């Protein structure tokens, strides 16, 4: 688990409470600077929507530079459906703008373009029973 240093104590307690601290460790850091190197899988759940395109490209670029050869990245987000039909994802898009000032939900094509700018190719898109989709990425 990789997150900001201030979350170390809470994260350690959560891992211990779930009985996984023997096989999962907390690593403190800032994904705008660097991420742990050499792993074969990186997962991001509802992270990309928190940031504007430039900051997302920084995060994803840091992952791209740090991953082992052949590694994959799983990005789980709530793509906004195209067209005028109502959607909870559109409500979340407004919420992201209000809460972060620059975060936003994106359409699937916008996510694919963003991933491409960071040096990734989308291998698969896996729609979940919820409104979320998992984008499986590999280095382009």
């Amino acid at each position: 688990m990789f997150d900001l240093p201030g979350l170390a104590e809470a994260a350690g307690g959560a891992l211990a409470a779930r009985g996984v601290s023997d096989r999962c460790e907390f690593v403190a850091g800032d994904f705008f600077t660097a991420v742990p190197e050499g792993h074969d899988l990186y997962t991001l759940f509802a992270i990309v929507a928190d940031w504007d395109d430039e900051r997302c490209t920084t995060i994803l670029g840091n992952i791209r530079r740090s991953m082992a050869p052949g590694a994959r990245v799983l990005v789980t987000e709530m793509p906004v459906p195209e067209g005028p039909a109502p959607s909870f994802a559109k409500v979340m898009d407004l919420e992201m703008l209000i809460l972060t000032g620059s975060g936003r939900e994106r359409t699937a094509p916008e996510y694919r373009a963003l991933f491409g700018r960071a040096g990734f190719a989308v291998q698969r898109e896996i729609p979940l029973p919820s409104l979320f989709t998992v984008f499986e990425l590999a280095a382009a």
Side-chain angles (χ1 to χ4, degrees), residues 61-80:
N62 286 338
I63 293 170
R64 172 70 184 86
R65 284 185 293 283
S66 297
M67 52 197 268
R72 295 279 191 245
V73 179
L74 300 179
V75 178
T76 304
E77 291 291 345
M78 185 185 312
V80 175

Side-chain angles (χ1 to χ4, degrees), residues 23-43:
R23 56 191 167 107
C24 182
E25 70 176 300
F26 181 86
V27 177
D30 177 353
F31 55 36
F32 291 114
T33 305
V35 300
E37 293 186 359
H39 295 281
D40 59 0
L41 179 66
Y42 292 81
T43 62

Side-chain angles (χ1 to χ4, degrees), residues 71-137:
R72 295 279 191 245
V73 179
L74 300 179
V75 178
T76 304
E77 291 291 345
M78 185 185 312
V80 175
E82 297 185 63
S87 166
F88 183 69
K90 292 177 182 178
V91 173
M92 291 305 298
D93 186 33
L94 287 173
E95 184 174 317
M96 293 312 306
L97 178 61
I98 292 166
L99 292 176
T100 69
S102 63
R104 59 189 285 265
E105 303 292 345
R106 297 164 175 84
T107 64
E110 289 172 328
Y111 278 116
R112 287 190 292 272
L114 179 64
F115 301 146
R117 285 193 300 277
F120 289 105
V122 176
Q123 302 296 300
R124 289 190 302 165
E125 292 180 29
I126 307 162
L128 301 178
S130 63
L131 297 174
F132 288 95
T133 295
V134 177
F135 296 90
E136 180 185 347
L137 312 179

